[in-house]
Amino acid sequence: MLTRFAPSPTGFLHLGHAYAAEQAFSLGPCLLRMEDIDNTRSRPELVDAIYEDLRWLGFDWPEPVRVQRDHMADYQGVIEALNARGLLYEDYTTRTGRENRDLPPAIKLSTARAVKALGTDQLSFQEGSKTIPIDLTQLEDKTLVRRDIGTSYHIAVTHDDWLQNITDVGRGCDLYEKTPVHVLIQSLMGWPVPRYHHHALVMETADRKMSKRSGSQTIRSLRESGRSAAEVLDLARASVDRPAP
Ligand code: GLU
């Protein structure tokens, strides 16, 4: 078994990351991956701070770390493979719901064409020991190439989980709803579908998950205020209050 922890360097790590890292690293041998393809949000200068915070928390990982921005051609290759099979289409609709042909289009995966290519509209994945069915007739078309970054999280994460032979994915339950499109891409590409373990989220308040804006709860600020790594991990665990799906 092999798992991974895959933060995006869009801010300093906070309590939510401490908990997520603990969940991922406790599943088994764990790789670290930097998911930094979103150049509108990622801050490369934070990568070293993330390594430092994770080491301070007591985590360790094999080198080299896969840094996604160095592998954009790999993600492009997946897009080209899906496109060559006629599964993708251009969408000029912008966020406002209107068409704008002056901007590059987003590229979407046609679920209907994917169903034809697969010969089935039913897929499934393992969530822990449970089998979760996926009814593709209910899955709307997803964007696989964002017009602003030229690829997408869906493509990069599934490609890298395959490339790195990840058997088990531990991640927050806010990503649970993304799993059907991940399984669809894996099925189309002939990649094994890893077992998923979505965990509960650290909450900032009863109804709001911890976010990058939670400046006072960064690992760094807690460390500077004199907390030990064990105390920070305890605090993270104590702030989890939503059951995983
Ligand atoms: N990079 C994603 C995040 O920071 C995690 C992706 C995943 O685990 O699938 O939320």
Side-chain angles (χ1 to χ4, degrees):
M1 96 94 86
L2 186 63
T3 186
R4 64 359 179 234
F5 177 56
S8 296
T10 55
F12 286 117
L13 295 190
H14 54 62
L15 275 185
H17 295 106
Y19 183 74
E22 183 174 60
Q23 293 293 307
F25 279 90
S26 66
L27 281 174
C30 187
L31 306 182
L32 178 64
R33 182 196 301 156
M34 279 301 146
E35 296 203 330
D36 58 349
I37 54 165
D38 186 346
N39 54 24
T40 67
R41 296 175 64 229
S42 286
R43 294 163 56 196
E45 71 276 13
L46 291 180
V47 168
D48 284 341
I50 290 175
Y51 296 152
E52 189 184 301
D53 289 350
L54 287 172
R55 284 208 185 92
W56 178 77
L57 284 169
F59 301 111
D60 201 8
W61 52 86
E63 300 285 348
V65 170
R66 184 167 169 92
V67 177
Q68 289 190 326
R69 216 183 279 188
D70 298 340
H71 302 282
M72 297 301 270
D74 287 2
Y75 313 131
Q76 187 57 33
V78 181
I79 302 292
E80 281 162 19
L82 295 172
N83 195 39
R85 291 160 67 190
L87 301 172
L88 307 183
Y89 66 94
E90 295 179 341
D91 184 359
Y92 286 89
T93 317
T94 62
R95 237 165 250 215
T96 60
R98 282 203 218 104
E99 251 200 20
N100 185 345
R101 291 200 171 245
D102 297 332
L103 290 176
I107 310 241
K108 287 190 162 177
L109 172 61
S110 159
T111 306
R113 291 185 222 161
V115 163
K116 276 206 195 111
L118 290 172
T120 178
D121 55 17
Q122 301 297 315
L123 296 174
S124 67
F125 66 97
Q126 292 297 120
E127 175 68 31
S129 57
K130 269 192 293 188
T131 302
I132 310 291
I134 299 172
D135 181 358
L136 292 176
T137 64
Q138 301 302 310
L139 186 72
E140 61 183 36
D141 295 354
K142 302 288 184 201
T143 296
L144 296 194
V145 180
R146 277 170 45 183
R147 60 168 62 80
D148 53 350
I149 65 170
T151 185
S152 64
Y153 157 62
H154 302 315
I155 288 293
V157 78
T158 52
H159 174 274
D160 285 359
D161 285 341
W162 162 71
L163 184 78
Q164 298 189 295
N165 295 310
I166 300 301
T167 62
D168 289 71
V169 171
R171 62 183 183 188
C173 62
D174 51 336
L175 297 172
Y176 183 78
E177 59 173 12
K178 315 280 189 207
T179 312
V181 69
H182 294 175
V183 174
L184 179 54
I185 294 166
Q186 288 151 352
S187 304
L188 287 167
M189 294 301 293
W191 297 336
V193 177
R195 185 185 299 268
Y196 288 90
H197 308 260
H198 290 90
H199 59 73
L201 300 178
V202 170
M203 304 302 280
E204 181 156 10
T205 61
D207 54 3
R208 200 170 72 225
K209 71 172 178 167
M210 186 133 314
S211 74
K212 303 276 147 65
R213 286 182 294 275
S214 320
S216 60
Q217 303 284 20
T218 62
I219 308 302
R220 210 138 267 256
S221 61
L222 291 162
R223 181 173 76 213
E224 279 156 15
S225 71
R227 307 263 193 155
S228 69
E231 283 169 339
V232 169
L233 288 168
D234 278 348
L235 186 61
R237 276 182 228 114
S239 312
V240 171
D241 71 353
R242 205 194 315 159

